[in-house]
Amino acid sequence: MTAQSTLATPAPTYGVQLTLIAFIRAKPGLGDELGSRLGALVEPSRAEAGNINYDLHRSNDDPDVWVLYENWKEEADLTLHFEQPYMKAFVAALPEVLEGEMDLRRCSMVTNIAG
């Protein structure tokens, strides 16, 4: 017989917590520049009240491809994120380094948080 834990299981976050995965391709040869600009977003984004995590990745296969993996407490927090002056300035300057359009995918968690 195994003892059951008395710790409460975290409530499901389905429909509340929002994940944003952004796939971003730099113009040829501008991968490092795009990465530098994306890297500058990490700390101020993590400091926002509604942010759970904000992580930057670079493709192992293509140095011009970057991926942002972000989790927000709710949709309204992501909306506020895009209203921040530093985000507006980043988006306005994207045509300088971006090839094509960003591929932004919003996802909702359907499992309980591990723990």
Side-chain angles (χ1 to χ4, degrees):
M1 183 179 205
T2 55
Q4 290 189 355
S5 171
T6 58
L7 297 175
T9 302
T13 58
Y14 177 78
V16 178
Q17 179 175 315
L18 179 72
T19 300
L20 178 68
I21 304 171
F23 298 89
I24 309 164
R25 175 178 286 283
K27 289 178 180 178
L30 294 179
D32 289 341
E33 176 62 27
L34 177 59
S36 177
R37 293 180 188 199
L38 289 166
L41 302 177
V42 174
E43 291 309 315
S45 297
R46 287 178 175 173
E48 291 182 42
N51 182 259
I52 297 169
N53 69 289
Y54 194 95
D55 301 309
L56 179 61
H57 305 266
R58 191 174 200 174
S59 171
N60 292 342
D61 301 319
D62 185 341
D64 288 336
V65 174
W66 293 86
V67 178
L68 281 168
Y69 178 77
E70 313 168 26
N71 283 291
W72 299 89
K73 292 178 183 174
E74 59 188 19
E75 177 81 32
D77 295 315
L78 180 60
T79 299
L80 287 173
H81 170 65
F82 283 114
E83 293 299 317
Q84 299 301 312
Y86 71 91
M87 283 302 299
K88 287 184 174 190
F90 171 77
V91 171
L94 268 177
E96 299 169 6
V97 294
L98 185 69
E99 180 177 282
E101 298 289 323
M102 285 192 292
D103 180 0
L104 302 177
R105 299 181 187 217
R106 286 175 163 79
C107 304
S108 295
M109 184 178 266
V110 296
T111 59
N112 288 340
I113 297 172

